[in-house]
Amino acid sequence: MNPPTDREQIASYWSTAISNIAPGNIAFRGYAIQDLIGRVSFPAMIWMMLRGDLPTPRQAELLEAAMVASVDHGPHAPSIAVARMAVSTGLPLNGAMASAINLLDDVHGGAGEQSVELFDDVIARHRDGLDIDTAAAAAIDAFVAEHGKYLPGFGHRFHPIDPRVAPLMAMVDRAMEDGVVVGDYAAASRAVVSVMERRRGGRHLPVNIDGVTAVIYGELGFAAPLARGIFCLSRAVGILSHAWEQQSRSERNKGPIPRTFDYDYTGQPARPVPTSAVEPGKS
């Protein structure tokens, strides 16, 4: 057998099952781009690029709803604030978007992925024979032991009741009734709420946007890391909108607080530089 040519080695090195590009030909996952344009929604395109095939209209509808619900949460959200500050320092829109998206890590942006992981654990324990509430309790305990007491997908620092949850859960419930999704993730989220309410002496712990979109992504079969990736795609819309709005203003070097407000200095009081620290000849 002859050794592979340089061309064959390069082709193998960059092999992909996603896109097939050649002169006069653009295809994704086997679908010609001219057959997709004007016929397939953007959420369906996202699904196809990530998963390999096209979703049903109802599946695409659920994915779209989750993405619509997550586009923005105002300039007090760190990613949005950074986008606005970035353009005020002279960065173009792409630089502002990159700066902002880089903030969507575990603390600000990772709760959806973490919620899917939590629900995956509940479902796995339930399938191993535990009733759903016992499975949820064990999964909660395991998560808290590893990550701390913060439970992703529940409660909200700003909203007593997150207004995005009810319409999204209603869509999930209709999809369950119509056989579009199974309902395992919806059941897991409700079991977590039930367990936490008992532990909190009856005080309600509401699902937030990260929890409800985690239900949707899980029901649709997306792996946990993709919950964060899709959230980044969604939040990029809000980031771009705020960066564009800020770019139209005359503010320069927009800081995190208005210049009329001060901050607390908690360091040393004013003091002289000790003689012992001064370099020779520089006194």
Side-chain angles (χ1 to χ4, degrees), residues 32-247:
I33 190 63
Q34 60 267 31
D35 294 336
L36 296 168
I37 294 171
R39 301 174 67 192
V40 171
S41 69
F42 189 49
M45 190 72 177
I46 292 170
W47 178 298
M48 182 266 290
M49 292 293 284
L50 293 175
R51 302 278 290 276
D53 216 334
L54 287 165
T56 67
R58 290 291 299 280
Q59 290 172 326
E61 179 185 55
L62 263 182
L63 177 59
E64 181 178 53
M67 295 184 71
V68 165
S70 303
V71 295
D72 187 17
H73 200 254
H76 51 272
S79 53
I80 302 297
V82 162
R84 301 191 76 115
M85 287 190 287
V87 293
S88 80
T89 66
L91 264 68
L93 291 177
N94 62 301
M97 293 182 71
S99 298
I101 289 171
N102 274 333
L103 263 68
L104 300 177
D105 211 318
D106 286 347
V107 175
H108 175 54
E113 177 180 356
Q114 296 156 7
S115 295
V116 175
E117 292 172 345
L118 175 63
F119 299 155
D120 282 340
D121 192 15
V122 175
I123 292 166
R125 293 172 189 272
H126 181 47
R127 288 175 178 168
D128 283 343
L130 296 179
D131 68 81
I132 190 69
D133 279 4
T134 304
I140 291 167
D141 291 341
F143 187 92
V144 169
E146 182 175 355
H147 302 286
K149 65 179 182 178
Y150 171 74
L151 204 62
F154 299 89
H156 201 287
R157 65 183 177 86
F158 196 80
H159 304 289
I161 299 294
D162 193 321
R164 299 165 289 189
V165 171
L168 290 176
M169 281 304 297
M171 291 184 70
V172 172
D173 288 339
R174 288 195 297 272
M176 289 165 53
E177 292 169 2
D178 297 339
V180 178
V181 298
V182 175
D184 287 344
Y185 288 82
S189 71
R190 286 171 170 141
V192 171
V193 169
S194 176
V195 169
M196 291 305 296
E197 282 186 348
R198 288 198 301 272
R199 292 182 175 184
R200 289 159 54 91
R203 287 187 297 123
H204 184 51
L205 181 65
V207 180
N208 63 30
I209 184 63
D210 299 306
V212 71
T213 53
V215 167
I216 291 174
Y217 297 142
E219 293 289 354
L220 293 176
F222 287 98
L226 288 178
R228 188 188 314 216
I230 296 170
F231 171 70
C232 289
L233 294 177
S234 174
R235 184 51 60 88
V237 176
I239 290 168
L240 175 60
S241 300
H242 281 271
W244 178 243
E245 180 182 66
Q246 184 66 44
Q247 198 172 73

